[in-house]
Amino acid sequence: MIHILFAAAPDRWAQYEHPLTRALDALGLDYVLSPEMDPAQVEYIVYAPNSGHDDFSLFPRARAVLNLWAGVENVVNNPTLTIPLARMVDDEGLTQGMVEWVTGHVLRHHLGMDAHIVNPDRRWVPVAPPLARDRPVTILGFGTLGQACGRALAGLGFEVTGWARSAKDVPGVRTLGGDDTLDTALAGAQIVVLLLPLTEATRNVLDARRLSLLAPGAVVLNPGRGPLIDDDALLAALDSGQVSHATLDVFRVEPLPQDHPFWAHPKVTVCPHIASETRPDSAARVIAENIRRGESGEPFLHLVDRAAGY
Ligand code: NDP
């Protein structure tokens, strides 16, 4: 009998109980799954950092922490965590959601939709947008989500550059790897999308100097993490016109405080951290597969590199 603790915010249990049960049953596993369990018995922890659990030493038999979220910045440095940590990689749900969000927001700015949706002065300015092939888009962070978005945008014809620690091989995309290529990746970009994890190395990666490398009037989309951007530098770039618009889904403090200048800024679109979320049905299958692997001695999928922080 496998003992699985569901450790997430209490309201999540109602969403995940049946999908997890279905996924575990489909793999023929013999298990107990509950949000309440004697810590001494727990073998797998299905986890979200908002669960309130932060002392993993209380679970002496635990074999893995299976994070429900893609981002692990709130758990990866926990000193009590000495067992494998897997993060959420779910092509059907999380990845697909991010591709849709990024594609939609890129197209909004590429096509200049705002000018026609809100046009109180009935201005008739018959200027067509350029084709996608003339719109350079740079994606910082070219992992699971960045590559999926890059493929989708390249498929629409955009001139895509993907930047990561190591260069990738993605057809139709220019990929660059390492710190010394970041300036090249940003130079002349008209739209920049941040899909980096938050680590000490990526904090404030988009600062004043790097914002100045973008094409004048560039657009910034941040569905990654708030602290990837130096907020003051972004506000200055918006005010100077160097950045014409920022669509931000993530913030240093969430929910974004009511008095934060982003709310009132005419060139900022605030989204409430909804770019993509873990979808219970498909995520449950990812979790169940990792538990099956743990039980059969196979390597876990989607393990976090604790030293790298993601
Ligand atoms: P991955 O781990 O698959 O990809 C991360 C990418 O960032 C990799 O390409 C990695 O490089 C690169 N990277 C990491 N550190 C550096 C660095 N110092 N310099 C250059 N590149 C670096 O993560 P995902 O694509 O699955 O997710 C990315 C992030 O998206 C998550 O961490 C999370 O913060 C955010 N997210 C936001 C959501 C939302 O709703 N707003 C939903 C889901 C995720 P390399 O490939 O060389 O290792």
Side-chain angles (χ1 to χ4, degrees):
M1 181 75 73
I2 313 164
H3 289 80
I4 307 166
L5 174 68
F6 184 81
D11 60 326
R12 296 289 168 166
W13 177 237
Q15 286 177 296
Y16 280 90
E17 180 183 4
H18 295 301
L20 279 168
T21 302
R22 274 195 300 275
L24 293 160
D25 288 348
L27 295 180
L29 298 171
D30 184 18
Y31 63 91
V32 188
L33 168 70
S34 173
E36 305 285 340
M37 197 173 282
D38 175 1
Q41 294 202 303
V42 171
E43 291 167 284
Y44 296 91
I45 305 173
V46 179
Y47 185 73
N50 60 9
S51 62
H53 289 276
D54 59 5
D55 184 357
F56 295 102
S57 68
L58 299 174
F59 305 100
R61 293 182 63 205
R63 304 184 53 190
V65 173
L66 308 172
N67 206 49
L68 283 167
W69 301 350
V72 292
E73 71 276 7
N74 291 327
V75 58
V76 69
N77 296 316
N78 187 318
T80 68
L81 181 62
T82 55
I83 54 176
L85 169 66
R87 66 190 198 91
M88 182 50 62
V89 174
D90 170 21
D91 291 342
E92 283 179 75
L94 198 61
T95 305
Q96 178 61 22
M98 188 60 81
V99 167
E100 293 178 14
W101 189 91
V102 168
T103 306
H105 284 276
V106 164
L107 285 173
R108 168 190 171 193
H109 295 293
H110 169 60
L111 297 175
M113 290 181 187
D114 292 18
H116 310 297
I117 293 171
V118 180
N119 188 5
D121 301 330
R122 303 177 188 184
R123 290 193 302 138
W124 182 268
V125 186
V127 178
L131 290 174
R133 65 176 178 237
D134 297 318
R135 182 78 73 188
V137 179
T138 290
I139 303 175
L140 301 188
F142 216 53
T144 305
L145 301 178
Q147 286 185 41
C149 294
R151 284 197 178 88
L153 293 172
L156 288 171
F158 285 98
E159 184 193 325
V160 178
T161 296
W163 178 78
R165 281 207 302 173
S166 55
K168 314 291 180 217
D169 185 11
V170 177
V173 173
R174 176 177 73 148
T175 75
L176 298 168
D179 289 346
D180 55 351
T181 61
L182 177 55
D183 287 4
T184 306
L186 292 172
Q190 293 183 16
I191 299 180
V192 60
V193 183
L194 281 91
L195 277 169
L196 288 159
L198 177 60
T199 67
E200 280 318 303
T202 63
R203 191 177 290 276
N204 289 324
V205 67
L206 211 51
D207 59 13
R209 189 187 68 77
R210 292 186 181 125
L211 285 165
S212 75
L213 300 174
L214 303 175
V219 166
V220 173
L221 306 182
N222 187 11
R225 285 292 181 262
L228 298 174
I229 303 182
D230 175 336
D231 288 353
D232 291 338
L234 177 61
L235 286 164
L238 286 162
D239 291 341
S240 75
Q242 168 61 12
V243 172
S244 63
H245 199 94
T247 296
L248 309 174
D249 185 57
V250 284
F251 304 91
R252 282 185 152 71
V253 177
E254 295 180 9
L256 185 66
Q258 290 293 317
D259 59 353
H260 195 285
F262 286 154
W263 278 117
H265 202 293
K267 297 180 183 173
V268 174
T269 299
V270 171
C271 292
H273 201 143
I274 43 73
S276 189
E277 67 172 5
T278 305
R279 315 287 160 150
D281 283 326
S282 49
R285 289 193 284 276
V286 175
I287 298 278
E289 169 60 12
N290 251 348
I291 292 174
R292 186 198 67 74
R293 284 171 165 260
E295 290 305 291
S296 62
E298 295 173 46
F300 290 112
L301 296 172
H302 318 310
L303 282 179
V304 171
D305 176 343
R306 305 287 295 283
Y310 68 96

